[in-house]
């Protein structure tokens, strides 16, 4: 798992910088203090934590591991997800 990608995901999930760790904890079950330590480079996540992330965000698994996406296989990134949401909100989506 690419550390920088997981940091992007933590930031993406959080509605604000103050709430990002609590909201990520709510989605994954990983203690917010563990997340803070990981985020600031003071701790690594264990196998169980990684599985919790994969279960909570199956659409991001490939991106978390490689930094690449495969939209046709449902493997996207938070950035791509945000673009889709923007188009849906404007009524400009093609589906």
């Amino acid at each position: 798992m690419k550390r920088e990608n997981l940091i992007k995901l933590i930031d993406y999930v959080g509605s604000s910088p103050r709430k990002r760790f609590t909201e990520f904890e709510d989605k994954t079950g990983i203690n917010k203090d563990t997340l803070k330590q990981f985020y600031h480079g003071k701790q690594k996540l264990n196998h169980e934590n990684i599985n919790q992330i994969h279960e909570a965000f199956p659409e991001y698994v490939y991106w978390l591991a490689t930094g690449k996406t495969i939209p046709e296989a449902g493997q996207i990134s938070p950035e791509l997800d945000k673009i889709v949401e923007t188009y849906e909100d404007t009524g400009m989506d093609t589906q």
Side-chain angles (χ1 to χ4, degrees), residues 35 54 78 89:
L35 293 167
H54 288 176
D89 290 346

Side-chain angles (χ1 to χ4, degrees), residues 36-48:
K36 285 179 190 177
Q37 294 295 317
F38 168 81
Y39 192 93
H40 296 292
K42 297 179 180 178
Q43 182 174 339
K44 293 185 178 185
L45 297 179
N46 63 33
H47 185 68
E48 181 182 342

Side-chain angles (χ1 to χ4, degrees), residues 81-95:
D81 201 16
K82 191 166 194 92
I83 290 168
V84 169
E85 286 177 14
T86 301
Y87 276 106
E88 288 174 350
D89 290 346
T90 63
M92 298 294 290
D93 60 325
T94 58
Q95 296 180 6

Side-chain angles (χ1 to χ4, degrees), residues 17-76:
R18 288 188 66 181
K19 295 180 181 181
R20 65 182 160 208
F21 300 113
T22 302
E23 291 172 350
F24 202 85
E25 177 184 34
D26 291 344
K27 291 194 180 280
T28 63
I30 302 170
N31 183 283
K32 67 181 177 182
D33 294 323
T34 300
L35 293 167
K36 285 179 190 177
Q37 294 295 317
F38 168 81
Y39 192 93
H40 296 292
K42 297 179 180 178
Q43 182 174 339
K44 293 185 178 185
L45 297 179
N46 63 33
H47 185 68
E48 181 182 342
N49 297 147
I50 293 168
N51 283 337
Q52 289 171 281
I53 293 165
H54 288 176
E55 288 177 22
F57 303 100
E59 67 275 23
Y60 301 141
V61 170
Y62 188 74
W63 171 78
L64 282 166
T66 68
K68 299 176 183 177
T69 62
I70 310 173
E72 60 274 11
Q75 289 297 305
I76 58 174

